[in-house]
Amino acid sequence: MSARILRAEGLAVETWRDARRGGEPVPLVRDATLELRAGEVLALVGASGSGKSLACAALLDVLPPGTRRRAGRILLDGAPAEPASLRGRAVACVLQAPRTAFNPLRTIGDHAGETLAAAGLRGRAGRASMERALAAVGLGGDPHLPELYPFQMSGGMLQRAMIALALLTRAPFLIADEPTTDLDLVAQAGILDLLAGLVRERGMGLLIVTHDLGVVARLADRVAVMEEGRVVETNDAASLFAHPAHPATRALLAAHHALYEVPR
Amino acid sequence: MTPAGFSPRSRSVAVAGALAAGFALLALVGPFIVPHDPLAVDLAQRFEAPNLVHLLGTDHLGRDILSRLIAGARTTLGSVLVVLALVLALGVSVGGLAGMLGGRIDAALMRLCDVFLTVPTFVLALFMIGALGTGLVNVVAAIVLSHWAWYARIVRGLVLESKARDYVLAARIAGAPARAIFAEHVLPGIVPPLAALATLDIGHMALHVAGLSFLGLGVQPPTPEWGVMINDARAFFWTRPLLVVWPGLAIALAVLAFNRLGDALRDRLDPTLVAGRGL
Amino acid sequence: MTALLTARGLGKAYPGAGWGRAAPRTVLTGIDLSLMDGECVALIGRSGSGKSTLSRLLLGLEAPDDGAVLFRGAPLAGLDRDGRKAFRAAVQMVLQDPLSAVNPRHAVGRILAEPLRHLTDLAGPARAARVGELLAMVGLDPALAGRLPGQLSGGQVQRVGLARALATRPALVILDEAVSNLDAPRQVDILDRLAGLRRRHGTAFLLITHDVRLARRFADRVVVLSEGRIVDEAPCRPGLALSHPAARELIDAVLPASPGVPG
């Protein structure tokens, strides 16, 4: 049976290129704890540079060059797990810029084949599950879609294809880092509807990183707010919007609501 | 970047750099430090083995080999320098013009380049020497004519790439004329890769100069030049192999040194080629 | 009163992509648009609706296939050297990605001086003074003039881009998705700054965006672009009344302000 709770405890990330040159390492994420449950959407929000993407990268063990995880552990249903062993098995991920995440020289079908091979599915069974996954993300209408190259698809289609690849792994948890930032609002609304549907119908646990509280309002059950590398507030979405406790949360909410105002 | 002298990789670059600098220095001051007159014939002392007076021995006319090698550095590397300067000047002007102006001018200039690219260096050199006679100037001209188009194409590609950048668009919006855009935004970005390429080509072009001189088409005896020296020594290869080895070693070392340096420059300027290093 | 900038029947197509002779791809058709002095217009549309092409035509960076762009009544194609210079100084743009829009090798002071050198008659010392003034205008320390863009934060570079567009005291600034991809605090900060500039200097703005929230908050009038045509147009106040399906799609895509509340 698939896992129910993914928990990252006390994550800390720092720069280490400088440290090797004799400089002080700069802490980027400090003691961040996140708990993601199956069937629920956890939004990780914060201003640019608050460390939210790095916290996710640490969770997946895909930290960018020049940074390293200093502390923290990952628990899957309470049992310690290696982040690298979770990737593609218990946890799938969807990245911000779909165009750079695909190999431009390979078709969508090639990419799917790679993911399927990693999951041990080949031949007809593999093709069938690819078709199911593409249908699930709303790309099932076109039988020639697996033959398309990334440049032949719009940003919204590519992001759907990336989610389809994530579904192929059958991972119970999905981490999406700013999945709609590069899309226009109409494409964004489509992707968010799709993600909400996947959580509802498949009982997946979704961790979505975003700077847009509109995305949070649309999708999230619970929200964790980060500021300067720390998780400063975690609450269910409705309470957080109604009664923000931390000043960082209040600042984000104030700016968010200001966007909806129409000045006289 | 790791400090020089620590990893084997950076040590080889340091050695290559020292060698290249040494060759450049020889080319610069060679004629003033030669132990003997490189042209002085002394038939009484021909084919001397290396000794304290003639450190590398003497050739079939009794000339001091070390002196001829040192003086030859100036001929070979000096002509390569002239070739590179001309090739870069032509390449940057034509490639820059084609890339900046685009349209029909671009198409016409690139077809012109294609014509030059179809002619192999040695064939062109033979043709020019047949028409204009032997000599270093004609060899230099032949190498320039067969190489500039290659640089022009590369420069055009680099210009097109940097023209597509947002900051070039911003410069146009800021009212910068094409000339200023090229000088301030495009050129500074293409100088580093060109420098790396040119360094890589020094060895290649030295081979051309030496090769054409070896064939008797370029530098004429008795002028000291590495290729000429190998040609001179050819007749005595079975009896006095060292005569071929010394200039051959000089060419090989120069080519290796400049290639390694060019590689290092390219790596340093294009970090994507060496992902993962320094992390 | 003559409009500041007018598009009259603009059309643009690009050659087809790929091998052989693919049919040209029409990007814009029959665009008519007038921008008055001091007016603030939002041009909204989805990705691929032709917004960016239209902004390039309005800036005279590309020539239209059909129609003409008129600057204070005079067609851009017919401007002489001085006319073109005056047009460039009067119509400026802030690009979408602030960091890629500045040359990483140039210090901030040089970036801001570029339009001053090419489009104004200011001498060296006056230019330096103006650079300081511009930095202060967007809320940056004038001491930053000596820094390279890589030494600044994303928000600071964004403001440098804005300061550059304001350098020549333009009558119109086009913002091509320049606000869309920022986080909310930065969006509000930039929009408030722009509103302040508008009050003080009477600058007109053309805000190009796919986000109806930004359009509603900032503009007087919204123009909707869909598949290369202007399909709808309405004033923002008292309420934004757009009816075309393409406009409704954009409005419906606005995310809710709070959980459980429709947008």
Side-chain angles (χ1 to χ4, degrees):
Chain A
M1 103 156 226
S2 63
R4 306 296 307 161
I5 295 177
L6 176 70
R7 186 176 162 87
E9 245 175 33
L11 285 181
V13 177
E14 63 184 15
T15 59
W16 77 299
R17 201 189 306 228
D18 300 329
R20 220 179 36 171
R21 287 200 193 130
E24 285 288 301
V26 180
L28 300 170
V29 176
R30 313 166 204 221
D31 194 23
T33 296
L34 298 167
E35 189 173 281
L36 178 60
R37 297 172 206 143
E40 144 189 293
V41 179
L42 171 65
L44 186 56
V45 301
S48 311
S50 58
K52 50 192 193 302
S53 287
L54 278 177
C56 272
L59 182 60
L60 287 166
D61 195 30
V62 289
L63 283 169
T67 60
R68 66 174 172 193
R69 194 170 68 147
R70 204 196 68 227
R73 55 181 193 154
I74 314 293
L75 301 168
L76 198 60
D77 285 338
E82 271 304 306
S85 71
L86 296 178
R87 215 164 53 223
R89 294 188 182 82
V91 185
C93 62
V94 174
L95 302 171
Q96 174 174 351
R99 210 160 289 278
T100 55
F102 283 99
N103 181 340
L105 301 178
R106 310 195 59 193
T107 63
I108 297 306
D110 291 341
H111 283 95
E114 213 168 60
T115 309
L116 286 168
L121 273 173
R122 280 165 209 284
R124 194 176 301 157
R127 204 155 37 247
S129 58
M130 177 172 83
E131 276 160 17
R132 273 200 306 277
L134 288 174
V137 297
L139 292 177
D142 182 358
H144 297 295
L145 189 109
E147 294 154 31
L148 292 184
Y149 286 91
F151 76 90
Q152 294 169 309
M153 300 167 69
S154 72
M157 282 169 83
L158 277 177
Q159 197 57 288
R160 282 175 192 272
M162 185 134 75
I163 294 172
L165 294 188
L167 293 181
L168 284 180
T169 65
R170 297 163 174 268
F173 297 103
L174 180 63
I175 295 186
D177 186 0
E178 303 271 10
T180 57
T181 302
D182 280 7
L183 307 179
D184 70 37
L185 283 192
V186 178
Q188 161 170 299
I191 294 291
L192 295 181
D193 287 346
L194 167 63
L195 289 173
L198 291 175
V199 171
R200 201 170 50 238
E201 288 152 23
R202 304 189 172 208
M204 292 179 83
L206 171 66
L207 173 59
I208 185 166
V209 178
T210 179
H211 64 252
D212 189 345
L213 286 176
V215 171
V216 179
R218 163 74 185 80
L219 202 61
D221 301 304
R222 285 189 314 127
V223 190
V225 182
M226 284 189 78
E227 186 195 36
E228 291 176 6
R230 286 197 181 82
V231 176
V232 293
E233 183 171 359
T234 307
N235 207 339
D236 69 87
S239 316
L240 185 110
F241 274 78
H243 311 289
H246 194 275
T249 316
R250 282 194 221 120
L252 286 173
L253 269 173
H256 170 66
H257 286 304
L259 284 183
Y260 290 82
E261 284 164 14
V262 181
R264 289 289 89 203
Chain B
M1 282 300 153
T2 44
F6 284 81
S7 69
R9 187 191 173 85
S10 53
R11 203 180 309 141
S12 83
V13 174
V15 169
L19 263 176
F23 279 119
L25 193 72
L26 278 187
L28 213 61
V29 303
F32 308 105
I33 59 160
V34 287
H36 300 273
D37 179 354
L39 298 179
V41 175
D42 181 355
L43 290 175
Q45 295 193 359
R46 54 200 298 244
F47 296 131
E48 274 196 29
N51 57 46
L52 284 177
V53 182
H54 300 285
L55 286 177
L56 299 180
T58 59
D59 66 3
H60 63 292
L61 296 176
R63 296 172 295 196
D64 181 53
I65 291 180
L66 180 63
S67 304
R68 286 183 67 75
L69 277 183
I70 294 175
R74 167 173 276 200
T75 323
T76 308
L77 294 181
S79 47
V80 167
L81 203 69
V82 174
V83 167
L84 271 182
L86 290 172
V87 159
L88 282 173
L90 266 173
V92 169
S93 329
V94 174
L97 220 56
M100 289 304 289
L101 297 178
R104 286 192 187 159
I105 297 175
D106 178 24
L109 288 175
M110 283 307 107
R111 295 300 79 73
L112 182 71
C113 285
D114 290 345
V115 170
F116 277 90
L117 282 173
T118 55
V119 185
T121 309
F122 274 75
V123 174
L124 186 66
L126 287 172
F127 168 77
M128 290 197 53
I129 284 152
L132 304 170
T134 56
L136 185 57
V137 175
N138 291 340
V139 165
V140 165
I143 301 177
V144 169
L145 286 179
S146 56
H147 282 77
W148 72 271
W150 194 66
Y151 275 75
R153 280 206 157 260
I154 290 173
V155 169
R156 172 180 176 270
L158 291 169
V159 167
L160 287 182
E161 195 187 315
S162 69
K163 245 178 76 179
R165 290 183 190 274
D166 274 2
Y167 60 73
V168 169
L169 177 64
R172 285 180 69 195
I173 296 168
R179 203 166 7 91
I181 288 179
F182 184 68
E184 293 177 31
H185 295 284
V186 174
L187 196 56
I190 68 178
V191 162
L194 271 187
L197 264 177
T199 312
L200 273 172
D201 256 4
I202 289 177
H204 171 73
M205 294 193 176
L207 278 180
H208 274 315
V209 173
L212 286 166
S213 298
F214 169 78
L215 292 177
L217 304 174
V219 180
Q220 294 303 305
T223 313
E225 201 280 338
W226 298 342
V228 171
M229 288 172 73
I230 296 183
N231 193 22
D232 282 348
R234 206 164 37 111
F236 317 103
F237 181 68
W238 297 110
T239 47
R240 317 274 174 191
L242 269 183
L243 294 188
V244 178
V245 168
W246 296 124
L249 200 63
I251 292 174
L253 278 179
V255 171
L256 280 175
F258 283 106
N259 274 354
R260 184 72 196 84
L261 204 61
D263 272 341
L265 265 178
R266 195 192 49 199
D267 289 357
R268 187 165 194 139
L269 297 169
D270 190 355
T272 52
L273 288 177
V274 280
R277 190 151 61 98
L279 301 178
Chain C
M1 183 180 159
T2 321
L4 171 57
L5 198 63
T6 311
R8 193 183 286 158
L10 284 189
K12 182 78 184 170
Y14 289 106
W19 307 103
R21 287 171 188 267
R25 199 166 45 88
T26 304
V27 180
L28 292 173
T29 325
I31 301 287
D32 289 307
L33 182 66
S34 280
L35 302 169
M36 307 305 280
D37 272 298
E39 196 187 17
C40 193
V41 177
L43 180 69
I44 64 172
R46 294 199 55 179
S47 303
S49 59
K51 294 177 300 191
S52 291
T53 304
L54 179 54
S55 72
R56 281 200 297 275
L57 295 184
L58 289 176
L59 277 160
L61 297 171
E62 281 179 42
D65 296 333
D66 297 312
V69 176
L70 288 76
F71 172 56
R72 301 205 189 279
L76 289 190
L79 292 179
D80 59 9
R81 203 184 165 82
D82 287 342
R84 274 202 302 274
K85 196 168 151 184
F87 166 71
R88 264 284 160 273
V91 180
Q92 281 287 314
M93 173 152 93
V94 182
L95 297 176
Q96 178 170 8
D97 180 7
L99 200 56
S100 70
V102 292
N103 190 327
R105 294 180 196 84
H106 290 188
V108 169
R110 185 170 174 193
I111 292 166
L112 295 184
E114 191 169 36
L116 299 174
R117 277 192 294 136
H118 296 302
L119 298 174
T120 69
D121 302 322
L122 290 182
R127 276 208 299 266
R130 176 73 180 148
V131 166
E133 201 178 298
L134 285 166
L135 284 169
M137 200 193 272
V138 294
L140 292 174
D141 181 354
L144 291 183
R147 299 272 192 88
L148 289 172
Q151 297 170 311
L152 305 183
S153 72
Q156 286 173 323
V157 179
Q158 174 83 29
R159 286 191 249 171
V160 168
L162 179 60
R164 170 172 58 188
L166 299 170
T168 55
R169 304 181 203 276
L172 169 69
V173 175
I174 299 177
L175 302 147
D176 185 5
E177 298 282 11
V179 197
S180 312
N181 291 341
L182 307 175
D183 59 23
R186 283 207 211 146
Q187 285 180 329
V188 172
D189 174 71
I190 289 277
L191 289 184
D192 287 350
R193 271 175 208 289
L194 295 176
L197 287 166
R198 204 180 155 207
R199 274 194 305 275
R200 285 199 302 279
H201 304 290
T203 316
F205 288 98
L206 178 64
L207 177 75
I208 299 177
T209 183
H210 56 79
D211 191 337
V212 176
R213 289 178 299 183
L214 302 177
R216 214 159 41 189
R217 186 180 153 85
F218 186 64
D220 305 321
R221 182 157 68 95
V222 172
V223 175
V224 184
L225 196 63
S226 175
E227 289 168 7
R229 294 168 190 276
I230 290 181
V231 294
D232 207 346
E233 192 171 346
C236 282
R237 278 168 279 276
L240 186 60
L242 295 168
S243 54
H244 189 276
R248 292 308 320 170
E249 189 183 39
L250 284 165
I251 292 172
D252 292 342
V254 169
L255 293 164
S258 302
V261 182

